[in-house]
Structure formats: C-alpha cells, structure tokens
Amino acid sequence: MLKALIKKQIAEFFAPYFMNRKTGKRKSHTEMIGFGILMGVLFLFLAGIFFMMGIGMTQVFVAINMEWLLYSIMGLIAITLGVVGSVFSTYAGLYQAKDNEMLISMPIPSSYILLSRLVGVYVICLMYSALVWIPAAISYWITAGCTPTNVIFPIILLFFIGVVDTVITCILGWIVALIAGKTKNKTVITVIISAVFLIAYLMFCSQMSTVMEGFIANSAAIGGVISRWIYPVAQLGYGATGDAAGLMIFILISIAVFAICWFVLSKTFINFATKKTGEKKKAYKAGEVRVKSLQKALLQRELSRFKSSSVYILNTGIGAIFMVIVAVMAIINRNDLLIIVSFFKEAYPFVGNAVPVIAVGVMCFMIAMCPVSAPSVSLEGKNLWIVRSLPVKASEALNAKINMHMFVITVPTVVSTVIIGAAINMNVGVIMLMTLLAVVFTLFIAYLGIVLNLKRPNFTWTSEVIPIKQSMPVSITLFGGWIIALGIIGLGILMGGALGDALSLIVILAIFIVIDFLINKWIKTRGAAIFDEM
C-alpha cells in the first residue's frame, strides 16, 4: 500500500511535465524537450551563481586547510534555499490536499498517507538544495582535485540534505497548521509567517558578499562556532571532504530527526487534515441584500478565491514583495544610484539615456514573478461547472480573472515604479511614462497567463500546489516574462542613444499597447470559445 501511495504521489508531482491535463494524453516529445530545455537553462543560470561563489570561497578555504568549512557554509545555504523554496507549499500539500479525506476514509494507516505526502515535499527540497550543493562540490573538485571519497560522499550527502530540508519544512508547516487551527483567518497567519521568513532570507542574501567576506576573514572563529553549536552541519562539512565518520554521523542524525518528525506528525495528521478552520458557526440573519454589477460580482468571486489560499498569495504575489523591497532599497541608496546614473550618462550616453527603460525592465522582472492569472482557470477545478452554469458569457468570466490580476498587482507596481523613478531623479513626464509602461506590461502578463492556462488547463489536481507551482502556464509566464523584460532593457539600450529616454519609453509603450490589444481580442473570441468548450 505504501509503495502504491508513493508511486501515486511521484506520478502526481511529475504529471504536469509529461501529461496534457486537458486531453489526458501524454505530451509530444517536442513539448517535453522544449520544457526540459527551459528548465535546464534556468537551473544552469542559478547554479552558475552559486558556482562562482563556491570557486571564490574554495580557493581561500583550501589554502588555509579548512575545506570542510566550505561545505558547511554551502550546506547551510542549500538547506535554507530548500526550506524557502518548499515552505510555501508544504502546508497545502500536507494538510489541504483534496484527496486527504478520501484516503483517510480508506483502511490506510495515516502514517502511510503522511509519508507519501512527504515524498513530494522531499523532491522539491532536493531540487532547490541541489542548486547550491552541486555547484559547491564541482568548485571544490576543480580547486582541490578529485578522490573517490570526496566525489562520492558529497553526492550521497545531497540526498540527506534533502531529508533535513524536509524535516525543517514540515515543522514550519506543522506550526502554521497548529496556529491556523486556532485562528479565524488561517490564510493571513500563513502569509505573515511565510513572508517574514522570506524577507529575512532576502535580507541575508542582500548582504551575502559582506557575509562571505566576514566568513573568510574570521574562518577559524566561525569554524569553531559551527563545530560547537551546529554539530550536524560541521559533520556535513567533514563528510563531504571524504571523512567517513562525518558522513555516517550526518546520515544517522538525518534519519533520526526524520523518524521523530514522521512519528510526531503522523499522530496529529488526521486532526489537522480534517480540521477545516478555527471559525465559529454563524447563525443566518436576514438582512438587506446589496445588488452588485456583474463584473463586480465576478471580481469579488475571484478575489475571494485568491484571498482564501496562502499558497496562491505567496507563490503568485512574491514579486510584489520584491517590488516593495527594491523601492525601499532605492530610497536608502539614492545617492549611490545617482552616482551610477551620472557615470553612465557621461561615459556611455547610450546606456545613460536608457536608464528609465532599464529601471522599468527591472520592474518587469518582478511583475513577471506575479503570474496571478496563470493558474486561475485551472483553479476552477471540479467547480468549473458553477461558472459555466451561470448566465455569464465566457469572455466576462475570463475578464474577471484578468481584472483580479490587475487589482492585486497594479498598486504595488505603480507605487514602486514612481518611487524608483523619483530615486533616480527622473522628471514627472518620464516617471509617468515609466509607470504607464509598467502597468501595460502588468496587463500583458495577465493576458499571457490566461492564454497559456486556456491552452494547458488542469482540472484534475488534488492539491492546489500543482496548478500554482508545477504547471506549464505558470512556468512559461514567469520565465517568458523574464526573457521579455531582458528584451525591454536591450531595446532601450539600442534606442537610447538615438531617441533619448522619453521617446524610447513611448516606442516600447506603443509596442506593448498593440500586443495587449491583439491578445485581448483573441481572448474575447477564440479564448472565450475554448473556455465554453471546457
């Protein structure tokens, strides 16, 4: 039974990459290869960042004969990234899966159900941790050379780093579930806890270079602290450099903490998985009914769906957090920004004239990280018949999803763009053009998400994590948005020298207005027809 549950969970995790949920058929080889290339490029880009970090640190730590400290530090970063990457979906994946009650009603031990769920969490944690750990190991092999033990041991340890990630992530998910069970609005609690954790991690990353310099300058003292206070991490470092005792100690600790975590969670799993909320029942009271327009009613429906899901808020609204952070950092570092802008205007006028476009391009990166509309069609799930049975045109239902996207993202987009424009000392006219371009790009992302979700819907999910985090529409909207943002920056630099900042913004703005118009026309016609046929 356990084998069947794990097989089901793994198949469910990878299904979006191999199966067309709309037709129920396997995707073509071209689609799978294309998506594989896209994910591979992203993996290499992120891994390259940690590889460069690892190369610099390895040279120093090898020279002072403290190679183990390199692996300990990179191990801590790998564990942290794994937790951050999976923490947003753990609560929903463990305790809010749609088939929890069905499985619990069957003669299946709850510990088996939980263990199969943990497999999905483990896979996500392992993928994120590998982005740090594998580049660190390669940088060490290049610098220090290869031996059978220092090659094989880090590979083995990677799988147990994933185990530690899973334990930490599950503890956080359990805490959220515990608080949510005693709180009226569990979504708010989940969002606050996760957002605080994310902001703390981003603050650490923003000071990464300073932290690394401090590590290197005080390597002996830090090594002593890790050895005394973070014993498992020290053994991780020793094991990765070829020490068999360190390898076995870390493996045994990983297995032990996982066994304890599984035992404790299995005793509370049924309680949390079947508990709906901490809300009290309310008696119905007759009162005045307010009539809303059709679009307002549909928008309210979409917003209610968005606000009810912490997974939806966190995974599609993370870009808004970045917008706020970047705007605050722009204010704090305004003098440095002005020096940089002045330098480029004097030394490289074609780049200096493109500064407003570059600033908007950076905003577009963060806007693309808010694919709110991309899973909105799939999230109808088995309730799709409700909206289709209403006397509502398909185009109106789709328009409500677009309006919801704009309602959620437009305010942080406008405020952050205005602040950044003011921070780099742009005049009012240029700031208005920057803001308009950011809003039009936001609309483009909203349209793109709807189009892709209409083409690749998934209504058979058992956990909302699947359409929100593991779907092709979300992935393509995110990564495609990044590529287009790079294109905006490149186009701005190409036109900056000849047209100037304001005219460059106007040209790019006109291009996106035309694109938005054409996509909107498609959604109202062909897109509406596709939605009607679902």
Side-chain angles (χ1 to χ4, degrees), residues 298 301 385-393:
L298 290 173
R301 175 180 180 271
W385 65 272
I386 295 177
V387 68
R388 289 186 61 192
S389 65
L390 296 173
V392 175
K393 295 180 180 178

Side-chain angles (χ1 to χ4, degrees), residues 204-218:
F204 171 79
C205 291
S206 67
Q207 301 296 321
M208 181 64 74
S209 59
T210 304
V211 172
M212 290 298 107
E213 291 174 2
F215 279 154
I216 293 171
N218 304 282

Side-chain angles (χ1 to χ4, degrees), residues 340-355:
I340 294 171
V341 170
S342 177
F343 167 77
F344 277 110
K345 285 189 175 181
E346 293 177 4
Y348 305 99
F350 65 97
V351 177
N353 290 334
V355 166

Side-chain angles (χ1 to χ4, degrees), residues 166-364:
T166 302
V167 172
I168 297 173
T169 304
C170 288
I171 291 173
L172 292 175
W174 180 79
I175 293 172
V176 171
L178 187 64
I179 296 173
K182 300 179 181 297
T183 308
K184 182 177 181 179
N185 195 333
K186 63 179 182 294
T187 301
V188 172
I189 297 298
T190 307
V191 170
I192 291 174
I193 293 173
S194 302
V196 168
F197 189 78
L198 174 63
I199 291 171
Y201 179 71
L202 292 176
M203 291 176 65
F204 171 79
C205 291
S206 67
Q207 301 296 321
M208 181 64 74
S209 59
T210 304
V211 172
M212 290 298 107
E213 291 174 2
F215 279 154
I216 293 171
N218 304 282
S219 55
I222 293 172
V225 170
I226 291 177
S227 297
R228 288 193 302 271
W229 299 102
I230 321 179
Y231 179 76
V233 176
Q235 296 306 312
L236 170 65
Y238 288 125
T241 55
D243 182 68
L247 173 77
M248 293 307 301
I249 290 172
F250 186 80
I251 289 175
L252 291 174
I253 291 174
S254 302
I255 294 173
V257 295
F258 179 80
I260 294 170
C261 178
W262 177 33
F263 176 79
V264 173
L265 292 181
S266 64
K267 296 300 181 183
T268 59
F269 177 72
I270 293 180
N271 182 41
F272 287 128
T274 56
K275 183 181 293 185
K276 298 303 181 183
T277 65
E279 298 176 7
K280 297 180 180 179
K281 293 183 179 180
K282 293 183 179 180
Y284 172 75
K285 293 182 179 180
E288 181 181 355
V289 177
R290 295 183 180 180
V291 178
K292 298 180 180 178
S293 67
L294 177 61
Q295 280 302 316
K296 283 185 178 181
L298 290 173
L299 175 60
Q300 183 62 46
R301 175 180 180 271
E302 296 296 333
L303 287 174
S304 297
R305 178 67 183 85
F306 180 78
K307 292 186 294 183
S308 66
S309 171
S310 57
V311 176
Y312 198 0
I313 294 172
L314 289 167
N315 286 280
T316 63
I318 188 173
I321 297 175
F322 279 106
M323 291 179 202
V324 175
I325 293 173
V326 169
V328 172
M329 295 302 294
I331 295 172
I332 296 173
N333 300 291
R334 185 171 186 269
N335 292 334
D336 294 333
L337 282 176
L338 292 176
I339 292 172
I340 294 171
V341 170
S342 177
F343 167 77
F344 277 110
K345 285 189 175 181
E346 293 177 4
Y348 305 99
F350 65 97
V351 177
N353 290 334
V355 166
V357 179
I358 294 173
V360 177
V362 172
M363 284 296 303
C364 290

Side-chain angles (χ1 to χ4, degrees), residues 24 31 36 42 105 107-108 111 124 133 156-157 180 182 186 219 316 318 324 347 439 481 516 524:
E31 288 178 312
L42 177 65
S105 67
I108 304 174
S111 57
I124 297 175
W133 188 253
I156 295 173
L157 286 167
K182 300 179 181 297
K186 63 179 182 294
S219 55
T316 63
I318 188 173
V324 175
V439 171
D516 285 353
K524 288 183 176 179

